[in-house]
Amino acid sequence: MNPIIQKIKDQKIVPLFYNESFEASKSTVKALYDGGIRVIEYTNRGTQALENFTRLKEISSTEFPGLLLGIGTVKNTNEMNDYANAKADFIITPVISRKLIKHSIKKNVLLIPGCFTPSDVNLAFQSGLNLVKIFPADALGKNYIKSIQPVFPGMDFMPTGGVNADVEDINEWFKGGAIAVGLGSSLVKSGITEKELTEKVENLLQQLNQN
């Protein structure tokens, strides 16, 4: 298994967030890191995304050793170029296309594409990808992965979108076949303090690892 995918599987959750402020972004990364998180998706959802991401990558090796910092909401090859050049550890897209897959191979960066239909998953499967994001997961429900999993042996699934940051909901997704879940605003809530986020993450990881 790809070592990044293995870390995602071991961590069970992948927090994802964006903030226009670099300092707020750094504070969020620190809170997540201090809570035990070692894989984070920063999302390409604002004008400061590339600059913030680049600066976060520049400091991560010294301030957050061992952190895998990827970028999400990448929709085209130009954006992929920008973030591959910024040394993203992985790239997550909301969509899938042959062009994005080929370009990720060219740039030698792990692609985790967003899939919705079995045809989407099949494109990833036939292209040799091993992990896809099911998005938006809440539109498909917790039994969707289990329904399509037998058709794609060896493929792993990470539902994202509408997953709640509580152990009961996450475990329902795991029972449905997920290896990890993406957690956005249900985890990194607007207005949450650094200390509150660290404690929330610590508690969630502890609960998940008890099961």
Side-chain angles (χ1 to χ4, degrees):
M1 181 179 285
N2 179 288
I4 297 175
I5 296 177
Q6 185 63 57
K7 282 199 173 185
I8 290 172
K9 186 174 183 179
D10 292 343
Q11 187 170 279
K12 297 184 173 67
I13 61 172
V14 176
L16 56 114
F17 79 98
Y18 171 74
N19 195 297
E20 284 284 301
S21 161
F22 170 73
E23 290 303 326
S25 296
K26 180 182 174 184
S27 175
T28 299
V29 170
K30 184 178 186 304
L32 293 168
Y33 186 86
D34 289 348
I37 293 295
R38 294 297 181 267
V39 184
I40 296 173
E41 173 191 343
Y42 194 71
T43 56
N44 177 40
R45 292 191 180 182
T47 57
Q48 294 298 114
L50 180 58
E51 181 180 338
N52 288 350
F53 182 85
T54 302
R55 292 177 67 187
L56 288 168
K57 279 298 295 180
E58 287 169 351
I59 66 170
S60 65
S61 61
T62 53
E63 298 201 28
F64 311 114
L67 176 67
L68 294 172
L69 185 63
I71 186 71
T73 324
V74 170
K75 301 177 292 296
N76 56 59
T77 56
N78 288 336
E79 292 173 349
M80 189 176 283
N81 282 336
D82 287 339
Y83 288 103
N85 292 339
K87 297 181 170 53
D89 290 303
F90 55 92
I91 291 177
I92 298 181
T93 59
V95 294
I96 187 170
S97 71
R98 287 185 176 85
K99 190 173 183 180
L100 286 171
I101 294 169
K102 287 179 181 177
H103 204 65
S104 70
I105 295 168
K106 180 181 176 182
K107 301 302 288 187
N108 193 31
V109 62
L110 173 67
L111 175 67
I112 303 172
C115 295
F116 189 77
T117 67
S119 294
D120 291 341
V121 177
N122 188 54
L123 177 53
F125 184 74
Q126 298 298 334
S127 301
L129 301 183
N130 302 116
L131 174 63
V132 298
K133 175 177 80 168
I134 296 299
F135 176 80
D138 57 347
L140 292 165
K142 295 182 174 72
N143 292 320
Y144 178 73
I145 294 170
K146 190 183 289 185
S147 298
I148 64 170
Q149 210 164 26
V151 185
F152 303 106
M155 178 63 78
D156 288 322
F157 299 87
M158 180 172 69
T160 304
V163 181
N164 295 322
D166 64 73
V167 68
E168 291 81 10
D169 193 63
I170 293 169
N171 279 332
E172 285 298 313
W173 289 102
F174 288 153
K175 288 174 187 173
I179 66 151
V181 297
L183 296 177
S185 57
S186 67
L187 179 66
V188 187
K189 292 181 182 291
S190 177
I192 193 170
T193 68
E194 190 175 307
K195 184 181 181 214
E196 288 169 342
L197 181 55
T198 295
E199 290 175 351
K200 186 174 183 179
V201 168
E202 282 177 337
N203 291 335
L204 184 57
L205 289 177
Q206 185 179 29
Q207 287 178 298
L208 287 170
N209 287 321
Q210 284 175 349
N211 292 283

